[in-house]
Amino acid sequence: MRALITGITGQDGSYLAEFLLEKGYEVVGMVRRSSTESFERINHIKDRITLVQADLLDQLSIINIIDQHRPDEVYNLAAQSFVPASWRQPVLTGEFDALGVTKMLEAIKLVDKKIKFYQASSSEMFGKVQEVPQTEKTPFYPRSPYGIAKVYGHWITVNYRESYGIHASSGILFNHESPRRGREFVTRKISYGAARIKLGLADKLSLGNLDAKRDWGFAGDYVRAMWLMLQQNEPDNFVIATGETHSVEEFVTLAFGHLGLDYKKYVVTDPRFVRPAEVDLLQGDPTYARDKLGWEPTVTFQELVKMMVDADIRRLSPK
């Protein structure tokens, strides 16, 4: 089996590449041309995968990569994935996260409609939630340019599935974290900040809304769900979540407490990090994924927080 992963250098792409290699796949990773390429997350497997340059903004490069490598499965993980940045760059976010999906699907339609396609949808599509918990049937109410672009990407995936018979599945993944999370994301910002304070490298951590609640899981668990979707006879949409919700303040309390620190002495609220339109509560219902895919998360919220803090302590400690 051969798989093409867009966004292979990201958190999810690196975990998925590892998972597929263990399954005996040949893995092709799509990367953008850059003068400062960063392969930090995949350096340990770089000699076992094929990296090919292409860009979601360039239709022809996508057609060429799919035509040349003829993957059995395509996992579209590439995106402008940082919600706050989507307000600063709304058009670019739409180009990548909405039209980029269309270009991937169009390439599959042109080259080989038997290729199976996975689209990385997001819980941010629910935004101002219409019900709790959120299921595959919950109406979308996105609250950011990122969420809106992801809704387009989700529905164009459904459309190509129904219009052209492509095995295209959409994973509505709730927040999933790991030690490989980018430092701009709040969970990693917390684990990294707590580690710096513990090691005497900083004396405070600035955060936004501590009351926001999220359904947080481990990225390594969630990439397994992506693969399971493409092993089904019929494509579908699946909510992937833990079913639990925790506030940012809970994450902070656990992270600092794990290091024997009282977060109230170090954490300050900075209005610069408060979103123009907040998503207050996300909580997914993974019943359908459990019943249909046999998928269950294996890492608890508490284990996830400790894993991230421990990894950042190791990173920052003198060698």
Side-chain angles (χ1 to χ4, degrees), residues 9 31-40 53:
T9 60
V31 294
R32 297 177 69 202
R33 166 76 183 88
S34 170
S35 57
T36 54
E37 291 170 335
S38 173
F39 299 119
E40 179 189 353
Q53 287 186 354

Side-chain angles (χ1 to χ4, degrees), residues 126-129 132 134 212-214 245 279-283:
F126 295 120
K128 191 174 182 178
V129 299
V132 180
Q134 294 88 55
K213 293 182 176 178
R214 294 291 184 270
T245 187
V279 173
D280 297 311
L281 168 65
L282 292 174
Q283 181 179 355

Side-chain angles (χ1 to χ4, degrees), residues 302-314:
Q302 291 77 10
E303 289 167 343
L304 174 65
V305 176
K306 290 173 182 176
M307 176 200 302
M308 292 178 68
V309 171
D310 288 344
D312 277 325
I313 286 284
R314 285 194 300 272

Side-chain angles (χ1 to χ4, degrees), residues 1 10 12-13 16 54 60 77 83 87-88 144 179 195 203 207 210 228 243 245 267 274 291:
M1 293 288 286
D12 293 6
L16 180 61
L60 190 57
L77 310 185
V83 176
W87 275 285
R88 296 192 296 273
S144 65
D203 55 13
L207 297 172
L210 297 185
L228 285 167
T245 187
V267 172
V274 176
D291 294 348

